Structure formats: C-alpha cells, structure tokens
Amino acid sequence: MDAYDEEPEALNGPDGPAGARRAGGPGTPGEDTGPGGTGTEDTGGDGAREPARRAGLAALSPRYRLVAGGALAVVAAVAAVHLGMVFLSLAPANTVSKRHAKAVEGWVYPEFEQNWKLFAPNPLQQNIAVQVRAQIRGEGGDLRTTGWTDLSAQDGAAIDGNPLPSHAQQNELRRAWDFLGTTHGTDNRPVGVRGALSEQYVRRIVVLRLRRDEGLDRAGTIERVQVRSRTVNVPPPEWSREKVSTSPAYRVLPWWTVTGDETEVGAR
C-alpha cells in the first residue's frame, strides 16, 4: 500500500498531505507558536533585548572623548578671550583697558573693529563727604561758631555693620547734595526755582542733624549754617600706572540763615 494512505485524514487536511505542512503552521520547528507570536526567530526565551546604541560623545572611545573635550575647551577659551577683548575695546576707558591697550588693539583691529561704543555707566571714583558747621547764639547773646561736623561719616558709621540700613542713611544726604550741585552754578548761586528749593532741602537736613547733638542743642539757638563738601579721589590699584592726586578738594557754600520754621522743625 502507498505510504500516503497510512493517514487517510491527511488527504483532505488543510495542509495537504502529511509531511508537507505550510510554513507558519502549528508545530513548525524553530518558530514562535505562542499566543503573541509573530513568526520571529526564538531568542532563547529570556526576553532580553539588545542595549540601545549610544549617541554623541558617549558613542566615542575614551581616547576620542578626550580629544573632543579638549577641542571644546579650546573653542570656549578663545570665545571668552574674544568677547573680553571686544568688550574692553567698546567700554569706556578704564584701568584695565588702559593697561592692556596694545593687546586689545592688536586683537580687535582691523578684523573686529566696531564703529559704536558700548553704553556703560562711569562709576564714581571719588569719595565725597558733606560737612556742616553752625553759628549758635547762647543764652547770654554771645555768638560762637562750631567746628565742622562730618555728616557723611555719621551715615557711614550707621551703615557699617548694619544688614538693613535705612533709605535715609544711604541716600538722603547724598541725593540732596547731588540735587544742590546740579541746580547751582560754579559760583555756588542757585539757578532757577529748583536751586532755591535744593538749598531749603539741604538746610533742613543739616539743621535736623545738628539738633540730634544734645550738647549742641543745649548750647543755644542755631542762627546760621554753612555747608561744604570734601572730595578725595579714590587711589588707583597698586598695579595700575594711572596717577591721580589724593589731596582733598573743598567746595564751600556761603552761610545760610536758618529761619524760625526750620529751627522749630529741627527741635521737633
């Protein structure tokens, strides 16, 4: 009998004759037959996947990583030097730009020359102290002149070591003196209505400060006050070639008569 007749059901089976089953059918060796099978090759049954491939510098060997890191460091250093040189060439003249002027010019000109200047405030390079003295009339009618009282030094002492200094300690006297300086001419005479207002403002401040001195308050009545400023240039650092005079310069205003209202305000 023919060998194909051993299994009669195989003649009419869905896979045709026995031993000729179609690929992908059940029982095909070497293929996934599980419920989620996709016909892919078995990987051993442990479910492990291949690690993801690294990108960027991580994909390089340690030697090439070192080379790439060094190149980035060099680029960053050159960029920082370039930005610093361009900044010094555009900023207002200062101690650093004066000392390294040749190096800055050699780097910037002519390739990176600019026809504009960088806006930057010019910091104050002077110490300005506002001082006052007064003429006091005693109970016997005698008039005496006090010595100079440094009001700026009093504010500095109140600010030094104080984590939360008041706005008055920091700015009241300084802004008042700036206001007076911009509203007065070189002859110390007021210019316009604002000049007279600035005089009144400064006069009230100094009277209030003098009245805080208990000994001076008991000495008599303040009749006149005189204000002056003492300006000293801040000395340059030791490594700078810049030379400035450190001798004090004084701006002395004329005597001001204290009105009754200002004396009463000071007494309160």
Side-chain angles (χ1 to χ4, degrees):
M1 182 179 291
D2 193 353
Y4 290 104
D5 295 337
E6 294 178 358
E7 296 181 2
E9 295 85 356
L11 297 175
N12 299 323
D15 298 328
R21 294 174 181 175
R22 290 175 294 181
T28 304
E31 296 186 3
D32 186 6
T33 58
T38 58
T40 59
E41 186 176 355
D42 189 4
T43 58
D46 57 356
R49 296 183 179 180
E50 295 183 0
R53 293 183 178 180
R54 297 179 179 180
L57 293 177
L60 301 177
S61 63
R63 179 185 301 176
Y64 287 106
R65 290 182 194 175
L66 183 61
V67 173
L72 291 177
V74 171
V75 171
V78 173
V81 171
H82 176 71
L83 292 177
M85 291 295 188
V86 173
F87 174 82
L88 291 176
S89 69
L90 299 178
N94 54 75
T95 303
V96 177
S97 62
K98 291 178 181 178
R99 183 181 182 184
H100 304 284
K102 292 184 178 180
V104 172
E105 292 178 359
W107 181 281
V108 173
Y109 300 104
E111 289 82 2
F112 307 109
E113 181 179 3
Q114 302 289 335
N115 59 357
W116 54 275
K117 288 294 182 181
L118 181 66
F119 171 80
N122 188 17
L124 185 64
Q125 299 179 2
Q126 296 174 327
N127 289 323
I128 301 176
V130 179
Q131 303 172 345
V132 61
R133 65 178 179 175
Q135 288 184 345
I136 300 178
R137 189 172 298 280
E139 295 180 357
D142 58 320
L143 190 66
R144 72 179 184 90
T145 303
T146 66
W148 291 101
T149 300
D150 196 331
L151 303 181
S152 297
Q154 294 178 356
D155 288 345
I159 294 172
D160 189 19
N162 185 358
L164 297 173
S166 68
H167 179 75
Q169 292 170 341
Q170 298 179 80
N171 299 316
E172 181 184 57
L173 183 63
R174 179 180 61 85
R175 295 295 298 273
W177 185 254
D178 290 344
F179 180 32
L180 186 140
T182 57
T183 56
H184 282 65
T186 56
D187 57 354
N188 293 326
R189 294 182 178 274
V191 179
V193 179
R194 290 173 57 84
L197 179 63
S198 66
E199 282 188 6
Q200 183 181 7
Y201 184 43
V202 173
R203 191 164 57 245
R204 284 179 177 270
I205 291 176
V206 299
V207 170
L208 283 171
R209 299 289 184 90
L210 291 174
R211 282 296 184 184
R212 294 176 184 174
D213 187 342
E214 296 181 359
L216 186 62
D217 191 27
R218 292 193 300 265
T221 304
I222 300 176
E223 297 222 346
R224 296 201 304 169
V225 294
Q226 187 177 31
V227 183
R228 75 177 184 182
S229 65
R230 181 180 185 271
T231 304
V232 180
N233 292 322
V234 176
E238 297 179 356
W239 49 265
S240 174
R241 298 179 181 178
E242 186 178 1
K243 302 296 182 181
V244 297
S245 174
T246 56
S247 300
Y250 293 92
R251 179 180 181 179
V252 183
L253 302 182
W255 284 95
W256 293 335
T257 300
V258 179
T259 64
D261 294 339
E262 292 168 347
T263 303
E264 292 176 1
V265 170
R268 290 198 297 269

